[in-house]
Amino acid sequence: MNDYLSRDSLLRLIGVLLLVMAPHAGHLPAWEILLIVTAMMWRTLIALRQWRLPALLPRTALTLAGFGGVYASYHGISGLSAGTALLCAMASLKLLEMRARRDVMIVVLLMYFILVTHFLFSQDLWTIAYLLVCAVAITALLMDCNHPGSAVPARPLLRRATIMVAQSLPLMLAMFILFPRIPGPLWGLPSDTGAQRSGLSDSMMPGDIEKLILSDAVAFRVHFDGPAPPQDQRYWRGPVFDRFDGRKWSPRIETRHLPPEAAELTGEPVDYDLTLEPTQQRWIFALDLPAPAGLPAATALHGAEQLLADKPVSGRVLYHLRSYPHYRLQPTLTPFQRRMMLQLPANADPRSRALAAQWRAQQADDAQIVQQALRMFRSEPFYYTLHPPRLGDNSIDEFLFETRRGFCEHYASSFTFLMRAAGIPARVVTGYQGGEKNPYGDYYVIHQYDAHAWSEVWLAGRGWVRVDPTAAVAPNRVEEGLASALSAADGLPTFLQRQSQIWLTLSARWDWINNRWNRWVLAYGPELQADFLSHFGITDWSQMILALTVAITLLLSAVGLSLLRQFAPAKTHDAALRLWQSATRPLQKLGLKQKPDEGPQDFAARVVARQPALTTAMRQLLQAYLRLRYLHGPDPAAWQNLRAAAQQFTRALRANAQGAAAGSGSRTRDSR
């Protein structure tokens, strides 16, 4: 046993540290997980087998190796992922140099810091529950490590720690509701090179979107204020690409450097709340077409009507948006813009160019050429599949005339190429399409497998018009969703295949719970806070600060009073004993107080010895008390005798005090 920590407490410390770090296993590189486990196992063996702690040289080598590994893995040590990885590595290596209580306290306090870092990666409901359990475990460990001698039994430690954490919850709730909120999540760290990106990319080439189909992760959730648009009209606009190099589509100029295009919005708008999952990207996938007025804070419309956040979305964010399904986008196209939207790589895909030239020779109307291309996809043997063949240098020719098997990006890319080759300005739009309604809530869930690509063509008098060539090949994809357009034989992911009703019900219920958590807790920003507090007459920051101060003061006062009650003398429930204590309490002024281990007879004898004038009254009080408590029980006559004896004893005390005062005055006069 160490003089600063018992072996059992040390093993508990290692176990709690492992519990706290466990959720980070999916974020840390494999080498660091091996390092952490090795450090914990090494320290465990040191405790069990009484080995010596490693010397300074190996500890220094491990520390430098951990620091260098984090720097090499994340190209730095700053940012969300790199900083968390470094904190976890150093906390585990600290186990190998714990030689005093100060080192133990450092490791315990580091656990609280590591606990907070979990919110940087997830704010789901299960994360909150898990971290509350961890907070109880760390608090119990903190009490155990401050207890001298052997380890304290686990049950009372955990019970006390649970009470302490529960006592902090009201204060936490008051701070959450009343503390002034700022736009965006507090955990959104800038320039986090280690954070993983999810969802769509800033370019598109064959195979990119079909990879997203293998993920059932939630992209965003949408709650419509009114009736939801039909499935085939729910196109969620994302990155727009206007440059083609023969295989890859990408933006010619970065989107945020372009102004929005002129749009004429008609018809009734659609209002909705969109809860976007973290992507580390700027795109906000608004329903086609977002309105420029009334956009959420820290967002703006940019080129090709793409809605972007000012900073990458690093946490779950709720946006209130308005879109117009009926619009006319950029009715006028400048000559320069027209040239840009017609550019194609030189000498690429000659057969596709020839087909487009043939259509142009047969039709002068651009709209007719669009229909001609859609008829080709609809009538000829094209197939919608998750596993298209690989394409070579002339990817458009190979797809249109040889393989004819592809996913939505193949059809959007080839259609856009044909339109440009026919002299019609065109571009590729990526985003999501459709969405699944939760049967237990009034909202829709859009998953990563709803990722989609389509085209926009510019037609005179109509501006940019959405055309989805995938709908010509697989109309079920747009009208009913991905699962209806693919079969299990085509390699449909397991989560899209037919599942048991019990599993579907549980999944929908859990998602509904998470959605409520997202809307009312994680999305509790400045607007929602102001709306909520306005119901209580709190309308500005000064009133908010005053309410916060009053609430915290009341809560802390309540906690203080509850703590003070622990030191208050215990109240007796024996009426006879209470009367005895009340009658004898004035004796304390004379220096006579009944000791906890002193019986009433012994106490009475001591009183008589010190104050002979109280002998008669003291004996009467003692006899009445003993008769009532030990002989008669709850007898009315005995009660009356005890009360009378108590009153007589009180009068005797007063008389004794007056006599003592008179004697003192007489002695004073005699001395004069």
PDB file of all heavy atoms in Angstrom, residues 5-24:
ATOM      1  N   LEU A   5      -2.058   6.566  -1.437  1.00  0.00           N
ATOM      2  CA  LEU A   5      -3.234   5.967  -2.077  1.00  0.00           C
ATOM      3  C   LEU A   5      -3.179   4.456  -1.880  1.00  0.00           C
ATOM      4  O   LEU A   5      -2.143   3.830  -2.134  1.00  0.00           O
ATOM      5  CB  LEU A   5      -3.255   6.299  -3.574  1.00  0.00           C
ATOM      6  CG  LEU A   5      -4.570   6.021  -4.314  1.00  0.00           C
ATOM      7  CD1 LEU A   5      -5.664   6.949  -3.795  1.00  0.00           C
ATOM      8  CD2 LEU A   5      -4.396   6.226  -5.813  1.00  0.00           C
ATOM      9  N   SER A   6      -4.280   3.879  -1.443  1.00  0.00           N
ATOM     10  CA  SER A   6      -4.333   2.428  -1.278  1.00  0.00           C
ATOM     11  C   SER A   6      -4.398   1.746  -2.634  1.00  0.00           C
ATOM     12  O   SER A   6      -4.740   2.358  -3.645  1.00  0.00           O
ATOM     13  CB  SER A   6      -5.551   2.047  -0.434  1.00  0.00           C
ATOM     14  OG  SER A   6      -6.750   2.329  -1.145  1.00  0.00           O
ATOM     15  N   ARG A   7      -4.080   0.463  -2.626  1.00  0.00           N
ATOM     16  CA  ARG A   7      -4.082  -0.280  -3.885  1.00  0.00           C
ATOM     17  C   ARG A   7      -5.481  -0.345  -4.492  1.00  0.00           C
ATOM     18  O   ARG A   7      -5.655  -0.176  -5.705  1.00  0.00           O
ATOM     19  CB  ARG A   7      -3.548  -1.699  -3.654  1.00  0.00           C
ATOM     20  CG  ARG A   7      -3.350  -2.482  -4.946  1.00  0.00           C
ATOM     21  CD  ARG A   7      -2.953  -3.906  -4.672  1.00  0.00           C
ATOM     22  NE  ARG A   7      -4.045  -4.648  -4.054  1.00  0.00           N
ATOM     23  CZ  ARG A   7      -3.997  -5.958  -3.772  1.00  0.00           C
ATOM     24  NH1 ARG A   7      -2.885  -6.638  -4.026  1.00  0.00           N
ATOM     25  NH2 ARG A   7      -5.023  -6.569  -3.220  1.00  0.00           N
ATOM     26  N   ASP A   8      -6.486  -0.580  -3.649  1.00  0.00           N
ATOM     27  CA  ASP A   8      -7.858  -0.656  -4.178  1.00  0.00           C
ATOM     28  C   ASP A   8      -8.284   0.679  -4.785  1.00  0.00           C
ATOM     29  O   ASP A   8      -8.935   0.720  -5.835  1.00  0.00           O
ATOM     30  CB  ASP A   8      -8.822  -1.053  -3.063  1.00  0.00           C
ATOM     31  CG  ASP A   8      -8.612  -2.498  -2.622  1.00  0.00           C
ATOM     32  OD1 ASP A   8      -7.983  -3.264  -3.380  1.00  0.00           O
ATOM     33  OD2 ASP A   8      -9.060  -2.844  -1.516  1.00  0.00           O
ATOM     34  N   SER A   9      -7.923   1.783  -4.137  1.00  0.00           N
ATOM     35  CA  SER A   9      -8.274   3.100  -4.679  1.00  0.00           C
ATOM     36  C   SER A   9      -7.549   3.358  -5.995  1.00  0.00           C
ATOM     37  O   SER A   9      -8.110   3.959  -6.918  1.00  0.00           O
ATOM     38  CB  SER A   9      -7.936   4.190  -3.661  1.00  0.00           C
ATOM     39  OG  SER A   9      -8.703   4.040  -2.487  1.00  0.00           O
ATOM     40  N   LEU A  10      -6.300   2.903  -6.104  1.00  0.00           N
ATOM     41  CA  LEU A  10      -5.553   3.075  -7.340  1.00  0.00           C
ATOM     42  C   LEU A  10      -6.192   2.299  -8.482  1.00  0.00           C
ATOM     43  O   LEU A  10      -6.321   2.803  -9.606  1.00  0.00           O
ATOM     44  CB  LEU A  10      -4.107   2.628  -7.132  1.00  0.00           C
ATOM     45  CG  LEU A  10      -3.195   2.679  -8.364  1.00  0.00           C
ATOM     46  CD1 LEU A  10      -3.115   4.091  -8.918  1.00  0.00           C
ATOM     47  CD2 LEU A  10      -1.806   2.160  -8.025  1.00  0.00           C
ATOM     48  N   LEU A  11      -6.626   1.071  -8.208  1.00  0.00           N
ATOM     49  CA  LEU A  11      -7.289   0.278  -9.251  1.00  0.00           C
ATOM     50  C   LEU A  11      -8.617   0.927  -9.649  1.00  0.00           C
ATOM     51  O   LEU A  11      -8.998   0.895 -10.829  1.00  0.00           O
ATOM     52  CB  LEU A  11      -7.512  -1.146  -8.752  1.00  0.00           C
ATOM     53  CG  LEU A  11      -6.234  -1.959  -8.476  1.00  0.00           C
ATOM     54  CD1 LEU A  11      -6.585  -3.340  -7.948  1.00  0.00           C
ATOM     55  CD2 LEU A  11      -5.385  -2.070  -9.742  1.00  0.00           C
ATOM     56  N   ARG A  12      -9.312   1.498  -8.675  1.00  0.00           N
ATOM     57  CA  ARG A  12     -10.546   2.222  -9.010  1.00  0.00           C
ATOM     58  C   ARG A  12     -10.245   3.410  -9.911  1.00  0.00           C
ATOM     59  O   ARG A  12     -10.982   3.698 -10.853  1.00  0.00           O
ATOM     60  CB  ARG A  12     -11.235   2.708  -7.731  1.00  0.00           C
ATOM     61  CG  ARG A  12     -11.864   1.610  -6.899  1.00  0.00           C
ATOM     62  CD  ARG A  12     -12.411   2.197  -5.603  1.00  0.00           C
ATOM     63  NE  ARG A  12     -13.010   1.190  -4.753  1.00  0.00           N
ATOM     64  CZ  ARG A  12     -13.485   1.432  -3.533  1.00  0.00           C
ATOM     65  NH1 ARG A  12     -13.418   2.671  -3.036  1.00  0.00           N
ATOM     66  NH2 ARG A  12     -14.017   0.462  -2.810  1.00  0.00           N
ATOM     67  N   LEU A  13      -9.162   4.120  -9.623  1.00  0.00           N
ATOM     68  CA  LEU A  13      -8.789   5.281 -10.433  1.00  0.00           C
ATOM     69  C   LEU A  13      -8.535   4.868 -11.877  1.00  0.00           C
ATOM     70  O   LEU A  13      -8.998   5.533 -12.823  1.00  0.00           O
ATOM     71  CB  LEU A  13      -7.555   5.946  -9.830  1.00  0.00           C
ATOM     72  CG  LEU A  13      -7.061   7.240 -10.481  1.00  0.00           C
ATOM     73  CD1 LEU A  13      -6.462   8.161  -9.426  1.00  0.00           C
ATOM     74  CD2 LEU A  13      -6.017   6.963 -11.557  1.00  0.00           C
ATOM     75  N   ILE A  14      -7.806   3.782 -12.074  1.00  0.00           N
ATOM     76  CA  ILE A  14      -7.527   3.312 -13.444  1.00  0.00           C
ATOM     77  C   ILE A  14      -8.820   2.901 -14.137  1.00  0.00           C
ATOM     78  O   ILE A  14      -9.043   3.200 -15.318  1.00  0.00           O
ATOM     79  CB  ILE A  14      -6.523   2.153 -13.398  1.00  0.00           C
ATOM     80  CG1 ILE A  14      -5.183   2.630 -12.820  1.00  0.00           C
ATOM     81  CG2 ILE A  14      -6.321   1.557 -14.786  1.00  0.00           C
ATOM     82  CD1 ILE A  14      -4.184   1.516 -12.582  1.00  0.00           C
ATOM     83  N   GLY A  15      -9.707   2.231 -13.411  1.00  0.00           N
ATOM     84  CA  GLY A  15     -10.977   1.817 -14.010  1.00  0.00           C
ATOM     85  C   GLY A  15     -11.856   2.988 -14.408  1.00  0.00           C
ATOM     86  O   GLY A  15     -12.464   2.990 -15.484  1.00  0.00           O
ATOM     87  N   VAL A  16     -11.927   4.009 -13.557  1.00  0.00           N
ATOM     88  CA  VAL A  16     -12.747   5.182 -13.879  1.00  0.00           C
ATOM     89  C   VAL A  16     -12.142   5.946 -15.057  1.00  0.00           C
ATOM     90  O   VAL A  16     -12.863   6.443 -15.933  1.00  0.00           O
ATOM     91  CB  VAL A  16     -12.882   6.093 -12.651  1.00  0.00           C
ATOM     92  CG1 VAL A  16     -13.586   7.394 -13.006  1.00  0.00           C
ATOM     93  CG2 VAL A  16     -13.659   5.378 -11.552  1.00  0.00           C
ATOM     94  N   LEU A  17     -10.806   6.041 -15.100  1.00  0.00           N
ATOM     95  CA  LEU A  17     -10.160   6.705 -16.242  1.00  0.00           C
ATOM     96  C   LEU A  17     -10.477   5.978 -17.537  1.00  0.00           C
ATOM     97  O   LEU A  17     -10.741   6.614 -18.575  1.00  0.00           O
ATOM     98  CB  LEU A  17      -8.652   6.772 -16.015  1.00  0.00           C
ATOM     99  CG  LEU A  17      -7.837   7.475 -17.099  1.00  0.00           C
ATOM    100  CD1 LEU A  17      -8.290   8.917 -17.269  1.00  0.00           C
ATOM    101  CD2 LEU A  17      -6.349   7.415 -16.783  1.00  0.00           C
ATOM    102  N   LEU A  18     -10.471   4.659 -17.507  1.00  0.00           N
ATOM    103  CA  LEU A  18     -10.836   3.888 -18.698  1.00  0.00           C
ATOM    104  C   LEU A  18     -12.292   4.129 -19.077  1.00  0.00           C
ATOM    105  O   LEU A  18     -12.623   4.275 -20.261  1.00  0.00           O
ATOM    106  CB  LEU A  18     -10.600   2.403 -18.436  1.00  0.00           C
ATOM    107  CG  LEU A  18     -10.933   1.440 -19.578  1.00  0.00           C
ATOM    108  CD1 LEU A  18     -10.063   1.737 -20.792  1.00  0.00           C
ATOM    109  CD2 LEU A  18     -10.748  -0.008 -19.137  1.00  0.00           C
ATOM    110  N   LEU A  19     -13.172   4.200 -18.077  1.00  0.00           N
ATOM    111  CA  LEU A  19     -14.590   4.478 -18.338  1.00  0.00           C
ATOM    112  C   LEU A  19     -14.770   5.842 -18.986  1.00  0.00           C
ATOM    113  O   LEU A  19     -15.562   6.000 -19.926  1.00  0.00           O
ATOM    114  CB  LEU A  19     -15.361   4.406 -17.021  1.00  0.00           C
ATOM    115  CG  LEU A  19     -16.855   4.719 -17.083  1.00  0.00           C
ATOM    116  CD1 LEU A  19     -17.603   3.596 -17.783  1.00  0.00           C
ATOM    117  CD2 LEU A  19     -17.420   4.930 -15.674  1.00  0.00           C
ATOM    118  N   VAL A  20     -14.045   6.843 -18.508  1.00  0.00           N
ATOM    119  CA  VAL A  20     -14.186   8.203 -19.032  1.00  0.00           C
ATOM    120  C   VAL A  20     -13.657   8.300 -20.458  1.00  0.00           C
ATOM    121  O   VAL A  20     -14.222   9.006 -21.302  1.00  0.00           O
ATOM    122  CB  VAL A  20     -13.459   9.191 -18.104  1.00  0.00           C
ATOM    123  CG1 VAL A  20     -13.413  10.581 -18.715  1.00  0.00           C
ATOM    124  CG2 VAL A  20     -14.160   9.251 -16.750  1.00  0.00           C
ATOM    125  N   MET A  21     -12.561   7.595 -20.754  1.00  0.00           N
ATOM    126  CA  MET A  21     -11.956   7.690 -22.083  1.00  0.00           C
ATOM    127  C   MET A  21     -12.635   6.802 -23.129  1.00  0.00           C
ATOM    128  O   MET A  21     -12.435   7.000 -24.325  1.00  0.00           O
ATOM    129  CB  MET A  21     -10.482   7.305 -22.008  1.00  0.00           C
ATOM    130  CG  MET A  21      -9.583   8.325 -21.340  1.00  0.00           C
ATOM    131  SD  MET A  21      -7.853   7.841 -21.547  1.00  0.00           S
ATOM    132  CE  MET A  21      -7.030   9.179 -20.690  1.00  0.00           C
ATOM    133  N   ALA A  22     -13.435   5.833 -22.708  1.00  0.00           N
ATOM    134  CA  ALA A  22     -13.976   4.831 -23.630  1.00  0.00           C
ATOM    135  C   ALA A  22     -14.691   5.419 -24.850  1.00  0.00           C
ATOM    136  O   ALA A  22     -14.457   4.980 -25.977  1.00  0.00           O
ATOM    137  CB  ALA A  22     -14.893   3.875 -22.872  1.00  0.00           C
ATOM    138  N   PRO A  23     -15.574   6.437 -24.707  1.00  0.00           N
ATOM    139  CA  PRO A  23     -16.257   6.955 -25.903  1.00  0.00           C
ATOM    140  C   PRO A  23     -15.324   7.573 -26.936  1.00  0.00           C
ATOM    141  O   PRO A  23     -15.713   7.733 -28.096  1.00  0.00           O
ATOM    142  CB  PRO A  23     -17.213   8.011 -25.329  1.00  0.00           C
ATOM    143  CG  PRO A  23     -17.432   7.608 -23.911  1.00  0.00           C
ATOM    144  CD  PRO A  23     -16.130   7.037 -23.475  1.00  0.00           C
ATOM    145  N   HIS A  24     -14.097   7.931 -26.547  1.00  0.00           N
ATOM    146  CA  HIS A  24     -13.157   8.525 -27.499  1.00  0.00           C
ATOM    147  C   HIS A  24     -12.462   7.481 -28.366  1.00  0.00           C
ATOM    148  O   HIS A  24     -11.673   7.844 -29.244  1.00  0.00           O
ATOM    149  CB  HIS A  24     -12.095   9.342 -26.760  1.00  0.00           C
ATOM    150  CG  HIS A  24     -12.552  10.708 -26.373  1.00  0.00           C
ATOM    151  ND1 HIS A  24     -13.290  11.520 -27.219  1.00  0.00           N
ATOM    152  CD2 HIS A  24     -12.386  11.426 -25.222  1.00  0.00           C
ATOM    153  CE1 HIS A  24     -13.551  12.658 -26.612  1.00  0.00           C
ATOM    154  NE2 HIS A  24     -13.031  12.627 -25.404  1.00  0.00           N
TER     155      HIS A  24
END
